[in-house]
Amino acid sequence: MLKSFLILFITLITVNQTKAADYAYFGFEPEIITNYVAVKKKMGYVRLTVELMIEDSSNFEAVEHHSPLLRDAIINIIGQQPEAKIKSINGRHEIQKLCEEQVKSLLTKETGQPLIKKLLFTQWLDN
């Protein structure tokens, strides 16, 4: 009985031990600086740092290879946003989600997989 219990216990531990997450982070260099149309047709700008959380570190080179395409998509999304969204916390979260969805979509078209788990804005300065 004790032997069966130990075997079951060891089996459960082995099954429950999953491979540790193998994440990597890709940061766009240099920082992204882009304009948006502010109220009264003035131009405002946003300076931000973007990090991509890559699900498997072996995909780092593929993400790096496609980084110009991804950077362009992020800049286009931000440039189309109204000033109110740029300057609000909730608006920034919406923009971050739009950028993440677009990056995943582009990577899926290019590589067959989204490759990233999350897109993060680690710094955001607007004027």
Side-chain angles (χ1 to χ4, degrees), residues 65-95:
H65 174 76
H66 294 291
S67 65
L69 174 67
L70 305 178
R71 181 185 193 91
D72 180 62
I74 294 166
I75 289 170
N76 284 331
I77 289 170
I78 292 169
Q80 295 172 5
Q81 303 306 311
E83 181 177 25
K85 195 178 253 191
I86 295 280
K87 294 197 176 265
S88 77
I89 299 272
N90 289 337
R92 291 178 197 169
H93 289 296
E94 289 176 29
I95 295 168

PDB file of all heavy atoms in Angstrom, residues 65-95:
ATOM      1  N   HIS A  65      13.888  39.764 -37.050  1.00  0.00           N
ATOM      2  CA  HIS A  65      13.882  39.886 -38.513  1.00  0.00           C
ATOM      3  C   HIS A  65      12.681  40.714 -38.991  1.00  0.00           C
ATOM      4  O   HIS A  65      12.804  41.502 -39.927  1.00  0.00           O
ATOM      5  CB  HIS A  65      13.859  38.498 -39.150  1.00  0.00           C
ATOM      6  CG  HIS A  65      13.720  38.513 -40.635  1.00  0.00           C
ATOM      7  ND1 HIS A  65      14.770  38.836 -41.464  1.00  0.00           N
ATOM      8  CD2 HIS A  65      12.648  38.273 -41.439  1.00  0.00           C
ATOM      9  CE1 HIS A  65      14.354  38.793 -42.726  1.00  0.00           C
ATOM     10  NE2 HIS A  65      13.074  38.453 -42.734  1.00  0.00           N
ATOM     11  N   HIS A  66      11.546  40.542 -38.358  1.00  0.00           N
ATOM     12  CA  HIS A  66      10.319  41.239 -38.767  1.00  0.00           C
ATOM     13  C   HIS A  66      10.109  42.556 -38.019  1.00  0.00           C
ATOM     14  O   HIS A  66       9.082  43.209 -38.207  1.00  0.00           O
ATOM     15  CB  HIS A  66       9.110  40.323 -38.568  1.00  0.00           C
ATOM     16  CG  HIS A  66       9.132  39.130 -39.467  1.00  0.00           C
ATOM     17  ND1 HIS A  66       8.962  39.212 -40.831  1.00  0.00           N
ATOM     18  CD2 HIS A  66       9.334  37.817 -39.195  1.00  0.00           C
ATOM     19  CE1 HIS A  66       9.041  38.015 -41.370  1.00  0.00           C
ATOM     20  NE2 HIS A  66       9.280  37.142 -40.396  1.00  0.00           N
ATOM     21  N   SER A  67      11.061  42.969 -37.219  1.00  0.00           N
ATOM     22  CA  SER A  67      10.888  44.168 -36.401  1.00  0.00           C
ATOM     23  C   SER A  67      10.613  45.449 -37.193  1.00  0.00           C
ATOM     24  O   SER A  67       9.821  46.278 -36.727  1.00  0.00           O
ATOM     25  CB  SER A  67      12.058  44.359 -35.443  1.00  0.00           C
ATOM     26  OG  SER A  67      13.248  44.612 -36.128  1.00  0.00           O
ATOM     27  N   PRO A  68      11.195  45.669 -38.376  1.00  0.00           N
ATOM     28  CA  PRO A  68      10.828  46.886 -39.118  1.00  0.00           C
ATOM     29  C   PRO A  68       9.335  46.924 -39.480  1.00  0.00           C
ATOM     30  O   PRO A  68       8.689  47.971 -39.374  1.00  0.00           O
ATOM     31  CB  PRO A  68      11.703  46.826 -40.375  1.00  0.00           C
ATOM     32  CG  PRO A  68      12.888  46.013 -39.961  1.00  0.00           C
ATOM     33  CD  PRO A  68      12.320  44.977 -39.019  1.00  0.00           C
ATOM     34  N   LEU A  69       8.783  45.799 -39.881  1.00  0.00           N
ATOM     35  CA  LEU A  69       7.355  45.704 -40.192  1.00  0.00           C
ATOM     36  C   LEU A  69       6.513  45.973 -38.946  1.00  0.00           C
ATOM     37  O   LEU A  69       5.520  46.716 -38.995  1.00  0.00           O
ATOM     38  CB  LEU A  69       7.041  44.318 -40.757  1.00  0.00           C
ATOM     39  CG  LEU A  69       5.582  43.974 -41.023  1.00  0.00           C
ATOM     40  CD1 LEU A  69       5.042  44.836 -42.159  1.00  0.00           C
ATOM     41  CD2 LEU A  69       5.436  42.503 -41.352  1.00  0.00           C
ATOM     42  N   LEU A  70       6.908  45.401 -37.833  1.00  0.00           N
ATOM     43  CA  LEU A  70       6.169  45.554 -36.584  1.00  0.00           C
ATOM     44  C   LEU A  70       6.247  46.988 -36.071  1.00  0.00           C
ATOM     45  O   LEU A  70       5.254  47.562 -35.619  1.00  0.00           O
ATOM     46  CB  LEU A  70       6.700  44.583 -35.528  1.00  0.00           C
ATOM     47  CG  LEU A  70       6.728  43.103 -35.937  1.00  0.00           C
ATOM     48  CD1 LEU A  70       7.323  42.256 -34.828  1.00  0.00           C
ATOM     49  CD2 LEU A  70       5.356  42.614 -36.338  1.00  0.00           C
ATOM     50  N   ARG A  71       7.427  47.577 -36.164  1.00  0.00           N
ATOM     51  CA  ARG A  71       7.621  48.971 -35.750  1.00  0.00           C
ATOM     52  C   ARG A  71       6.727  49.902 -36.564  1.00  0.00           C
ATOM     53  O   ARG A  71       6.075  50.792 -36.020  1.00  0.00           O
ATOM     54  CB  ARG A  71       9.091  49.342 -35.921  1.00  0.00           C
ATOM     55  CG  ARG A  71       9.440  50.743 -35.523  1.00  0.00           C
ATOM     56  CD  ARG A  71      10.924  51.039 -35.860  1.00  0.00           C
ATOM     57  NE  ARG A  71      11.339  52.239 -35.214  1.00  0.00           N
ATOM     58  CZ  ARG A  71      11.887  52.309 -34.010  1.00  0.00           C
ATOM     59  NH1 ARG A  71      12.111  51.227 -33.317  1.00  0.00           N
ATOM     60  NH2 ARG A  71      12.229  53.462 -33.496  1.00  0.00           N
ATOM     61  N   ASP A  72       6.676  49.682 -37.872  1.00  0.00           N
ATOM     62  CA  ASP A  72       5.840  50.497 -38.750  1.00  0.00           C
ATOM     63  C   ASP A  72       4.362  50.381 -38.365  1.00  0.00           C
ATOM     64  O   ASP A  72       3.647  51.376 -38.335  1.00  0.00           O
ATOM     65  CB  ASP A  72       6.046  50.071 -40.206  1.00  0.00           C
ATOM     66  CG  ASP A  72       5.203  50.880 -41.167  1.00  0.00           C
ATOM     67  OD1 ASP A  72       5.399  52.111 -41.242  1.00  0.00           O
ATOM     68  OD2 ASP A  72       4.335  50.274 -41.848  1.00  0.00           O
ATOM     69  N   ALA A  73       3.912  49.173 -38.059  1.00  0.00           N
ATOM     70  CA  ALA A  73       2.514  48.960 -37.670  1.00  0.00           C
ATOM     71  C   ALA A  73       2.190  49.714 -36.378  1.00  0.00           C
ATOM     72  O   ALA A  73       1.129  50.345 -36.268  1.00  0.00           O
ATOM     73  CB  ALA A  73       2.231  47.473 -37.501  1.00  0.00           C
ATOM     74  N   ILE A  74       3.094  49.661 -35.415  1.00  0.00           N
ATOM     75  CA  ILE A  74       2.878  50.364 -34.144  1.00  0.00           C
ATOM     76  C   ILE A  74       2.807  51.868 -34.375  1.00  0.00           C
ATOM     77  O   ILE A  74       1.920  52.551 -33.851  1.00  0.00           O
ATOM     78  CB  ILE A  74       3.986  50.002 -33.130  1.00  0.00           C
ATOM     79  CG1 ILE A  74       3.873  48.520 -32.746  1.00  0.00           C
ATOM     80  CG2 ILE A  74       3.933  50.898 -31.898  1.00  0.00           C
ATOM     81  CD1 ILE A  74       5.083  47.970 -32.018  1.00  0.00           C
ATOM     82  N   ILE A  75       3.720  52.401 -35.169  1.00  0.00           N
ATOM     83  CA  ILE A  75       3.741  53.833 -35.465  1.00  0.00           C
ATOM     84  C   ILE A  75       2.449  54.256 -36.172  1.00  0.00           C
ATOM     85  O   ILE A  75       1.863  55.292 -35.843  1.00  0.00           O
ATOM     86  CB  ILE A  75       4.985  54.202 -36.299  1.00  0.00           C
ATOM     87  CG1 ILE A  75       6.232  54.090 -35.415  1.00  0.00           C
ATOM     88  CG2 ILE A  75       4.866  55.599 -36.907  1.00  0.00           C
ATOM     89  CD1 ILE A  75       7.547  54.186 -36.166  1.00  0.00           C
ATOM     90  N   ASN A  76       1.986  53.462 -37.128  1.00  0.00           N
ATOM     91  CA  ASN A  76       0.746  53.787 -37.841  1.00  0.00           C
ATOM     92  C   ASN A  76      -0.461  53.793 -36.909  1.00  0.00           C
ATOM     93  O   ASN A  76      -1.320  54.668 -37.007  1.00  0.00           O
ATOM     94  CB  ASN A  76       0.504  52.813 -38.994  1.00  0.00           C
ATOM     95  CG  ASN A  76       1.392  53.107 -40.182  1.00  0.00           C
ATOM     96  OD1 ASN A  76       1.788  54.242 -40.412  1.00  0.00           O
ATOM     97  ND2 ASN A  76       1.714  52.074 -40.942  1.00  0.00           N
ATOM     98  N   ILE A  77      -0.538  52.838 -36.018  1.00  0.00           N
ATOM     99  CA  ILE A  77      -1.661  52.788 -35.083  1.00  0.00           C
ATOM    100  C   ILE A  77      -1.652  54.009 -34.171  1.00  0.00           C
ATOM    101  O   ILE A  77      -2.681  54.666 -33.982  1.00  0.00           O
ATOM    102  CB  ILE A  77      -1.636  51.483 -34.258  1.00  0.00           C
ATOM    103  CG1 ILE A  77      -2.013  50.299 -35.155  1.00  0.00           C
ATOM    104  CG2 ILE A  77      -2.574  51.566 -33.052  1.00  0.00           C
ATOM    105  CD1 ILE A  77      -1.798  48.940 -34.533  1.00  0.00           C
ATOM    106  N   ILE A  78      -0.510  54.332 -33.618  1.00  0.00           N
ATOM    107  CA  ILE A  78      -0.427  55.470 -32.692  1.00  0.00           C
ATOM    108  C   ILE A  78      -0.733  56.780 -33.419  1.00  0.00           C
ATOM    109  O   ILE A  78      -1.439  57.637 -32.902  1.00  0.00           O
ATOM    110  CB  ILE A  78       0.947  55.518 -32.010  1.00  0.00           C
ATOM    111  CG1 ILE A  78       1.072  54.316 -31.075  1.00  0.00           C
ATOM    112  CG2 ILE A  78       1.139  56.830 -31.244  1.00  0.00           C
ATOM    113  CD1 ILE A  78       2.446  54.087 -30.527  1.00  0.00           C
ATOM    114  N   GLY A  79      -0.236  56.923 -34.639  1.00  0.00           N
ATOM    115  CA  GLY A  79      -0.456  58.144 -35.410  1.00  0.00           C
ATOM    116  C   GLY A  79      -1.903  58.399 -35.764  1.00  0.00           C
ATOM    117  O   GLY A  79      -2.283  59.538 -36.072  1.00  0.00           O
ATOM    118  N   GLN A  80      -2.745  57.385 -35.720  1.00  0.00           N
ATOM    119  CA  GLN A  80      -4.163  57.526 -36.066  1.00  0.00           C
ATOM    120  C   GLN A  80      -5.051  57.786 -34.846  1.00  0.00           C
ATOM    121  O   GLN A  80      -6.258  57.961 -34.984  1.00  0.00           O
ATOM    122  CB  GLN A  80      -4.649  56.258 -36.765  1.00  0.00           C
ATOM    123  CG  GLN A  80      -3.983  56.011 -38.093  1.00  0.00           C
ATOM    124  CD  GLN A  80      -4.356  54.651 -38.670  1.00  0.00           C
ATOM    125  OE1 GLN A  80      -5.177  53.930 -38.122  1.00  0.00           O
ATOM    126  NE2 GLN A  80      -3.739  54.309 -39.783  1.00  0.00           N
ATOM    127  N   GLN A  81      -4.462  57.826 -33.662  1.00  0.00           N
ATOM    128  CA  GLN A  81      -5.261  57.954 -32.439  1.00  0.00           C
ATOM    129  C   GLN A  81      -5.530  59.423 -32.110  1.00  0.00           C
ATOM    130  O   GLN A  81      -4.687  60.284 -32.321  1.00  0.00           O
ATOM    131  CB  GLN A  81      -4.540  57.291 -31.260  1.00  0.00           C
ATOM    132  CG  GLN A  81      -4.216  55.837 -31.473  1.00  0.00           C
ATOM    133  CD  GLN A  81      -5.421  55.008 -31.846  1.00  0.00           C
ATOM    134  OE1 GLN A  81      -6.463  55.075 -31.203  1.00  0.00           O
ATOM    135  NE2 GLN A  81      -5.275  54.212 -32.894  1.00  0.00           N
ATOM    136  N   PRO A  82      -6.718  59.693 -31.565  1.00  0.00           N
ATOM    137  CA  PRO A  82      -7.028  61.071 -31.149  1.00  0.00           C
ATOM    138  C   PRO A  82      -6.268  61.439 -29.875  1.00  0.00           C
ATOM    139  O   PRO A  82      -5.870  60.574 -29.093  1.00  0.00           O
ATOM    140  CB  PRO A  82      -8.539  61.019 -30.882  1.00  0.00           C
ATOM    141  CG  PRO A  82      -8.837  59.591 -30.581  1.00  0.00           C
ATOM    142  CD  PRO A  82      -7.838  58.783 -31.373  1.00  0.00           C
ATOM    143  N   GLU A  83      -6.091  62.724 -29.682  1.00  0.00           N
ATOM    144  CA  GLU A  83      -5.333  63.229 -28.537  1.00  0.00           C
ATOM    145  C   GLU A  83      -5.911  62.735 -27.208  1.00  0.00           C
ATOM    146  O   GLU A  83      -5.162  62.365 -26.300  1.00  0.00           O
ATOM    147  CB  GLU A  83      -5.305  64.754 -28.551  1.00  0.00           C
ATOM    148  CG  GLU A  83      -4.513  65.362 -27.415  1.00  0.00           C
ATOM    149  CD  GLU A  83      -4.437  66.868 -27.480  1.00  0.00           C
ATOM    150  OE1 GLU A  83      -5.325  67.500 -28.080  1.00  0.00           O
ATOM    151  OE2 GLU A  83      -3.474  67.414 -26.916  1.00  0.00           O
ATOM    152  N   ALA A  84      -7.221  62.702 -27.085  1.00  0.00           N
ATOM    153  CA  ALA A  84      -7.848  62.273 -25.834  1.00  0.00           C
ATOM    154  C   ALA A  84      -7.439  60.845 -25.475  1.00  0.00           C
ATOM    155  O   ALA A  84      -7.208  60.539 -24.300  1.00  0.00           O
ATOM    156  CB  ALA A  84      -9.367  62.367 -25.954  1.00  0.00           C
ATOM    157  N   LYS A  85      -7.340  59.988 -26.459  1.00  0.00           N
ATOM    158  CA  LYS A  85      -6.947  58.601 -26.207  1.00  0.00           C
ATOM    159  C   LYS A  85      -5.460  58.517 -25.855  1.00  0.00           C
ATOM    160  O   LYS A  85      -5.066  57.753 -24.975  1.00  0.00           O
ATOM    161  CB  LYS A  85      -7.255  57.744 -27.429  1.00  0.00           C
ATOM    162  CG  LYS A  85      -7.235  56.261 -27.155  1.00  0.00           C
ATOM    163  CD  LYS A  85      -7.586  55.473 -28.396  1.00  0.00           C
ATOM    164  CE  LYS A  85      -8.963  54.905 -28.277  1.00  0.00           C
ATOM    165  NZ  LYS A  85      -9.260  53.933 -29.335  1.00  0.00           N
ATOM    166  N   ILE A  86      -4.644  59.298 -26.532  1.00  0.00           N
ATOM    167  CA  ILE A  86      -3.196  59.327 -26.279  1.00  0.00           C
ATOM    168  C   ILE A  86      -2.908  59.757 -24.844  1.00  0.00           C
ATOM    169  O   ILE A  86      -2.025  59.226 -24.185  1.00  0.00           O
ATOM    170  CB  ILE A  86      -2.480  60.297 -27.260  1.00  0.00           C
ATOM    171  CG1 ILE A  86      -2.582  59.811 -28.694  1.00  0.00           C
ATOM    172  CG2 ILE A  86      -1.048  60.583 -26.839  1.00  0.00           C
ATOM    173  CD1 ILE A  86      -1.630  58.732 -29.096  1.00  0.00           C
ATOM    174  N   LYS A  87      -3.687  60.707 -24.336  1.00  0.00           N
ATOM    175  CA  LYS A  87      -3.398  61.304 -23.034  1.00  0.00           C
ATOM    176  C   LYS A  87      -4.095  60.621 -21.865  1.00  0.00           C
ATOM    177  O   LYS A  87      -3.850  60.978 -20.723  1.00  0.00           O
ATOM    178  CB  LYS A  87      -3.749  62.786 -23.066  1.00  0.00           C
ATOM    179  CG  LYS A  87      -2.845  63.546 -24.031  1.00  0.00           C
ATOM    180  CD  LYS A  87      -2.884  65.013 -23.784  1.00  0.00           C
ATOM    181  CE  LYS A  87      -1.910  65.714 -24.689  1.00  0.00           C
ATOM    182  NZ  LYS A  87      -0.637  65.960 -24.071  1.00  0.00           N
ATOM    183  N   SER A  88      -4.946  59.634 -22.133  1.00  0.00           N
ATOM    184  CA  SER A  88      -5.631  58.968 -21.020  1.00  0.00           C
ATOM    185  C   SER A  88      -5.042  57.582 -20.768  1.00  0.00           C
ATOM    186  O   SER A  88      -4.591  56.911 -21.702  1.00  0.00           O
ATOM    187  CB  SER A  88      -7.132  58.860 -21.301  1.00  0.00           C
ATOM    188  OG  SER A  88      -7.399  57.818 -22.213  1.00  0.00           O
ATOM    189  N   ILE A  89      -5.089  57.164 -19.528  1.00  0.00           N
ATOM    190  CA  ILE A  89      -4.573  55.839 -19.152  1.00  0.00           C
ATOM    191  C   ILE A  89      -5.366  54.747 -19.863  1.00  0.00           C
ATOM    192  O   ILE A  89      -4.787  53.819 -20.421  1.00  0.00           O
ATOM    193  CB  ILE A  89      -4.649  55.643 -17.615  1.00  0.00           C
ATOM    194  CG1 ILE A  89      -3.816  56.683 -16.910  1.00  0.00           C
ATOM    195  CG2 ILE A  89      -4.252  54.230 -17.237  1.00  0.00           C
ATOM    196  CD1 ILE A  89      -2.382  56.345 -16.700  1.00  0.00           C
ATOM    197  N   ASN A  90      -6.700  54.845 -19.828  1.00  0.00           N
ATOM    198  CA  ASN A  90      -7.529  53.834 -20.492  1.00  0.00           C
ATOM    199  C   ASN A  90      -7.278  53.813 -21.996  1.00  0.00           C
ATOM    200  O   ASN A  90      -7.263  52.754 -22.613  1.00  0.00           O
ATOM    201  CB  ASN A  90      -9.016  54.064 -20.202  1.00  0.00           C
ATOM    202  CG  ASN A  90      -9.369  53.736 -18.769  1.00  0.00           C
ATOM    203  OD1 ASN A  90      -8.679  52.965 -18.107  1.00  0.00           O
ATOM    204  ND2 ASN A  90     -10.442  54.332 -18.274  1.00  0.00           N
ATOM    205  N   GLY A  91      -7.093  54.994 -22.573  1.00  0.00           N
ATOM    206  CA  GLY A  91      -6.792  55.079 -23.999  1.00  0.00           C
ATOM    207  C   GLY A  91      -5.475  54.394 -24.337  1.00  0.00           C
ATOM    208  O   GLY A  91      -5.367  53.701 -25.353  1.00  0.00           O
ATOM    209  N   ARG A  92      -4.486  54.563 -23.495  1.00  0.00           N
ATOM    210  CA  ARG A  92      -3.191  53.914 -23.716  1.00  0.00           C
ATOM    211  C   ARG A  92      -3.323  52.398 -23.677  1.00  0.00           C
ATOM    212  O   ARG A  92      -2.692  51.690 -24.459  1.00  0.00           O
ATOM    213  CB  ARG A  92      -2.178  54.356 -22.669  1.00  0.00           C
ATOM    214  CG  ARG A  92      -1.764  55.789 -22.826  1.00  0.00           C
ATOM    215  CD  ARG A  92      -0.804  56.187 -21.753  1.00  0.00           C
ATOM    216  NE  ARG A  92      -0.741  57.631 -21.671  1.00  0.00           N
ATOM    217  CZ  ARG A  92      -0.155  58.285 -20.701  1.00  0.00           C
ATOM    218  NH1 ARG A  92       0.428  57.632 -19.720  1.00  0.00           N
ATOM    219  NH2 ARG A  92      -0.136  59.590 -20.689  1.00  0.00           N
ATOM    220  N   HIS A  93      -4.153  51.910 -22.758  1.00  0.00           N
ATOM    221  CA  HIS A  93      -4.377  50.463 -22.693  1.00  0.00           C
ATOM    222  C   HIS A  93      -5.056  49.957 -23.967  1.00  0.00           C
ATOM    223  O   HIS A  93      -4.722  48.889 -24.477  1.00  0.00           O
ATOM    224  CB  HIS A  93      -5.203  50.085 -21.462  1.00  0.00           C
ATOM    225  CG  HIS A  93      -4.456  50.224 -20.175  1.00  0.00           C
ATOM    226  ND1 HIS A  93      -3.349  49.464 -19.865  1.00  0.00           N
ATOM    227  CD2 HIS A  93      -4.643  51.051 -19.114  1.00  0.00           C
ATOM    228  CE1 HIS A  93      -2.893  49.808 -18.679  1.00  0.00           C
ATOM    229  NE2 HIS A  93      -3.657  50.781 -18.205  1.00  0.00           N
ATOM    230  N   GLU A  94      -5.998  50.732 -24.479  1.00  0.00           N
ATOM    231  CA  GLU A  94      -6.663  50.366 -25.733  1.00  0.00           C
ATOM    232  C   GLU A  94      -5.662  50.361 -26.888  1.00  0.00           C
ATOM    233  O   GLU A  94      -5.677  49.462 -27.730  1.00  0.00           O
ATOM    234  CB  GLU A  94      -7.800  51.335 -26.041  1.00  0.00           C
ATOM    235  CG  GLU A  94      -8.998  51.201 -25.133  1.00  0.00           C
ATOM    236  CD  GLU A  94     -10.056  52.257 -25.414  1.00  0.00           C
ATOM    237  OE1 GLU A  94     -10.166  52.710 -26.566  1.00  0.00           O
ATOM    238  OE2 GLU A  94     -10.772  52.632 -24.464  1.00  0.00           O
ATOM    239  N   ILE A  95      -4.811  51.374 -26.934  1.00  0.00           N
ATOM    240  CA  ILE A  95      -3.790  51.459 -27.981  1.00  0.00           C
ATOM    241  C   ILE A  95      -2.827  50.280 -27.864  1.00  0.00           C
ATOM    242  O   ILE A  95      -2.461  49.667 -28.871  1.00  0.00           O
ATOM    243  CB  ILE A  95      -3.028  52.810 -27.902  1.00  0.00           C
ATOM    244  CG1 ILE A  95      -3.976  53.971 -28.206  1.00  0.00           C
ATOM    245  CG2 ILE A  95      -1.837  52.812 -28.852  1.00  0.00           C
ATOM    246  CD1 ILE A  95      -3.408  55.343 -27.867  1.00  0.00           C
TER     247      ILE A  95
END
